[in-house]
Amino acid sequence: MTPHVRRYHAARGIPDVISWTTLGELGAEMTSTRSMYGASGLQWQWALPLVFRGAFYRLGRLAFDRATISFTDPPLQPGASAIYTHIPEGGRLSPADCDESFARARTFFPRHFDDNPVAFLCSSWLMDDQLAAYLPEESNLIRFQRRFRLLPNPGDTSDKTILDFVFHRLHDERDIQPSVLDTLPQDTTLQRAYVTRLRAGHHWRSRTGWFPLHNRPAAPAEFAGIR
């Protein structure tokens, strides 16, 4: 597939460095699988179809793909073009690095795809605003969340997803038992927050947020009415 994708990128005028960095997602997926299973393979396959059909691009710290809005949250309306934000594993989520990635995405997609996106979107367990009760206000993750206006409805439970991504642990059972929590490392604030919340009988959720493409991100006070 690589020669086909490379030709597609070239036809769109996408620089080689972005093309090869994006195709490097294959190696990242294989590394993640090896850390989970101890053998080569591809477990986390959701990104690769986007990469190899030319929809997903790594632009600095963050990655993005083209999206169509499917919800109503004025002034956003279904059917409008948007840019979906992904947070690849590894590295700090510093505000400066994120600013650079968002700035690049603002010009990249209109230039190479003739899109007219109106907003950035992000759906992830990393967007769960319950994290604010456990992480310091100045943490990079909380500062990243503050860029977005959260939709009011919580998403699906993400307990197993966090177990996979934060702890690199597989879990096939429906619930995560206390005996599993007893075996998890508690080296970081995020790891401790995960275990503390589940021990208290609560769950983590995936959340979706957005902010306008060209306007300033929403200030923290603007989130108060929708949390």
Side-chain angles (χ1 to χ4, degrees), residues 123-134:
S123 294
S124 174
W125 63 269
L126 289 164
M127 295 288 289
D128 190 343
D129 58 342
Q130 297 175 128
L131 285 165
Y134 301 89

Side-chain angles (χ1 to χ4, degrees), residues 194-217:
Y194 174 83
V195 171
T196 298
R197 185 162 185 81
L198 264 62
R199 285 195 188 282
H202 304 300
H203 297 281
W204 296 101
R205 297 281 182 180
S206 173
R207 298 296 301 269
T208 297
W210 66 273
F211 69 86
L213 193 78
H214 294 295
N215 294 344
R216 64 177 179 82

Side-chain angles (χ1 to χ4, degrees), residues 27-213:
E29 296 286 345
M30 294 182 71
T31 299
S32 180
T33 299
R34 179 173 287 278
S35 71
M36 188 77 68
Y37 291 96
S40 296
L42 293 171
Q43 167 67 9
W44 307 114
Q45 299 184 32
W46 65 266
L48 294 182
L50 296 174
V51 169
F52 282 93
R53 74 169 190 249
F56 177 106
Y57 294 91
R58 181 74 182 258
L59 303 174
R61 177 63 183 90
L62 304 174
F64 305 90
D65 71 270
R66 303 162 70 198
T68 301
I69 294 171
S70 60
F71 56 85
T72 299
D73 191 25
L76 298 189
Q77 296 296 328
S81 176
I83 300 173
Y84 205 95
T85 306
H86 302 278
I87 309 169
E89 287 189 83
R92 298 174 63 248
L93 200 62
S94 75
D97 289 343
C98 293
D99 286 343
E100 180 188 19
S101 289
F102 285 122
R104 294 175 67 181
R106 282 188 183 95
T107 58
F108 177 86
F109 288 95
R111 176 185 300 146
H112 297 291
F113 293 96
D114 299 321
D115 287 346
N116 186 28
V118 298
F120 285 103
L121 309 179
C122 188
S123 294
S124 174
W125 63 269
L126 289 164
M127 295 288 289
D128 190 343
D129 58 342
Q130 297 175 128
L131 285 165
Y134 301 89
L135 302 181
E137 183 74 18
E138 66 276 9
S139 73
N140 287 338
L141 179 51
I142 297 302
R143 294 168 75 179
F144 181 85
Q145 288 184 356
R146 292 289 191 256
R147 297 173 183 268
F148 294 84
R149 170 187 173 95
L150 294 180
L151 298 183
N153 297 325
D156 297 331
T157 300
S158 59
D159 297 340
K160 290 185 181 181
T161 302
I162 301 177
L163 192 63
D164 290 339
F165 280 94
V166 174
F167 298 95
H168 296 287
R169 293 282 297 272
L170 295 172
H171 188 77
D172 295 328
E173 297 179 13
R174 179 177 179 179
D175 298 317
I176 300 174
Q177 302 298 329
S179 58
V180 174
L181 299 179
D182 291 341
T183 67
L184 298 179
Q186 298 287 270
D187 301 326
T188 69
T189 303
L190 183 58
Q191 290 173 343
R192 293 190 291 272
Y194 174 83
V195 171
T196 298
R197 185 162 185 81
L198 264 62
R199 285 195 188 282
H202 304 300
H203 297 281
W204 296 101
R205 297 281 182 180
S206 173
R207 298 296 301 269
T208 297
W210 66 273
F211 69 86
L213 193 78

